[in-house]
Amino acid sequence: ILEPMITPQWYVNCDGMAKRATDAVRNGELKIVPAEHEKTWFHWLDNIRDWCVSRQLWWGHQIPAWFVYTQQEQEKISKNDMDHNDRWIVARSEEAAKEKAIQLLGCSADDLIMERDEDVLDTWFSSGLFPFSVMGWPDDTEDLKAFYPTSLLETGLDILFFWVARMVMMGLELTDTLPFHTVFLHAMVRDKEGRKMSKSLGNVIDPLEVINGCTLKTLQDRLESGNLPEKEIVRAKKNIQEEFPDGIPECGSDALRFGLLAYCAQGRDINLDVKVVV
């Protein structure tokens, strides 16, 4: 029997950062296009909650926190005991954490034991640092001076809060600068029935298959290369058989471009029917 195990998590208080992000839109420093999405921005950030940033995964940026205790305290103190939260040291490096730990415990370096938290940061936390971290931050590099902040961010409307807001909050908090002054949100490409594209539904469309053409067999064989359960593969193949019994004829890039442009009038969603492009 597998049961979830409740363990302490790391949280970030976002109240101050969220207010700066909403103020930036209200005073015109940050522009969201189309403006109708400002409502979503304010809904999330005006009602912000503490952000759980720890994840129990094997990949990601490891949380820079160390649980510290002395040799004499082995097997007497647990990092999962909330009464010992004061034993957690957060620092930029292990060496800096070691200095803080020695000062906290009043012990020698030889008597000190440090255990780094195995958790990693939430993906949205790491990606929220993207605009300036790729430029060498926290160092004041030439790239950072030349290319940060940027001007325009173009992305999907579904991650306005999950990614865009995090970049804005962290940019303001860590660099005191907006990472960009305009956010352009494009419509979401869905299938002709308005469903989100999903491998299990077999309704994912590869633009290259529309441009260059593709046989029915190739469309179905692609499902085998994934990690779908056999039952889902059978269902997806059936959906593809019904949708593209003769495969997809070669359409070229211009047909795809014009097809997508014609759909843009729909607004929030582009319910893409490849047969219209064909």
Side-chain angles (χ1 to χ4, degrees):
I1 299 175
L2 297 178
E3 295 183 359
M5 182 173 66
I6 298 176
T7 59
Q9 304 293 323
W10 291 96
Y11 287 83
V12 173
N13 185 311
C14 298
D15 292 347
M17 293 190 291
K19 186 178 187 307
R20 292 189 70 181
T22 55
D23 288 346
V25 173
R26 288 190 169 106
N27 63 28
E29 290 181 73
L30 178 63
K31 186 177 181 181
I32 298 176
V33 182
E36 66 189 67
H37 297 297
E38 290 181 4
K39 182 179 180 181
T40 302
W41 184 265
F42 295 134
H43 171 76
W44 280 98
L45 295 176
D46 285 340
N47 299 285
I48 198 71
R49 297 182 181 181
D50 290 349
W51 177 12
C52 179
V53 296
S54 49
R55 295 291 182 271
Q56 293 72 52
L57 301 171
W58 287 111
W59 58 88
H61 291 136
Q62 190 174 0
I63 290 177
W66 289 261
F67 188 75
V68 300
Y69 53 95
T70 64
Q71 296 281 355
Q72 293 73 30
E73 293 175 315
Q74 288 192 68
E75 300 181 3
K76 297 179 181 179
I77 186 170
S78 171
K79 63 182 179 182
N80 289 326
D81 188 341
M82 302 293 282
D83 291 335
H84 298 138
N85 276 356
D86 61 333
R87 294 299 187 94
W88 283 103
I89 302 291
V90 176
R92 285 186 178 270
S93 67
E94 185 172 0
E95 192 60 35
K98 186 176 182 179
E99 292 179 9
K100 290 184 178 181
I102 291 174
Q103 184 177 4
L104 173 69
L105 301 179
C107 66
S108 66
D110 293 335
D111 195 32
L112 176 67
I113 298 177
M114 299 175 58
E115 293 181 14
R116 186 168 181 178
D117 196 325
E118 294 181 347
D119 287 1
V120 297
L121 290 166
D122 174 21
T123 298
W124 297 115
F125 187 102
S126 297
S127 57
L129 301 172
F130 175 79
F132 45 91
S133 64
V134 295
M135 303 301 175
W137 178 91
D139 296 330
D140 190 23
T141 65
E142 291 302 315
D143 281 348
L144 188 65
K145 295 175 184 177
F147 302 113
Y148 183 83
T150 59
S151 54
L152 171 71
L153 172 74
E154 184 271 340
T155 188
L157 60 90
D158 58 330
I159 53 175
L160 177 60
F161 170 72
F162 299 104
W163 187 37
V164 181
R166 266 64 179 271
M167 285 192 286
V168 170
M169 287 195 297
M170 299 178 85
L172 289 171
E173 180 70 18
L174 298 174
T175 71
D176 200 34
T177 305
L178 282 170
F180 31 75
H181 58 68
T182 303
V183 178
F184 179 79
L185 301 172
H186 62 67
M188 302 303 299
V189 180
R190 302 179 183 274
D191 72 7
K192 67 177 183 179
E193 297 176 8
R195 300 175 301 178
K196 188 172 183 178
M197 291 192 179
S198 165
K199 289 182 180 179
S200 62
L201 292 175
N203 62 349
V204 176
I205 298 170
D206 184 339
L208 292 178
E209 293 172 348
V210 178
I211 294 170
N212 302 318
C214 186
T215 65
L216 173 61
K217 184 178 185 303
T218 300
L219 289 172
Q220 293 181 327
D221 287 349
R222 184 181 61 188
L223 297 170
E224 302 284 355
S225 62
N227 58 355
L228 289 177
E230 185 61 33
K231 184 178 179 181
E232 296 292 339
I233 292 177
V234 172
R235 183 174 68 173
K237 283 185 175 181
K238 182 180 178 182
N239 289 339
I240 291 176
Q241 171 75 48
E242 294 175 352
E243 189 73 17
F244 308 108
D246 300 317
I248 301 176
E250 182 180 351
C251 300
S253 57
D254 286 342
L256 181 59
R257 290 193 188 99
F258 283 116
L260 289 172
L261 286 172
Y263 275 111
C264 283
Q266 290 182 216
R268 291 178 60 92
D269 296 310
I270 297 176
N271 296 343
L272 180 61
D273 184 353
V274 174
K275 293 180 179 178
V276 173
V277 178
V278 174

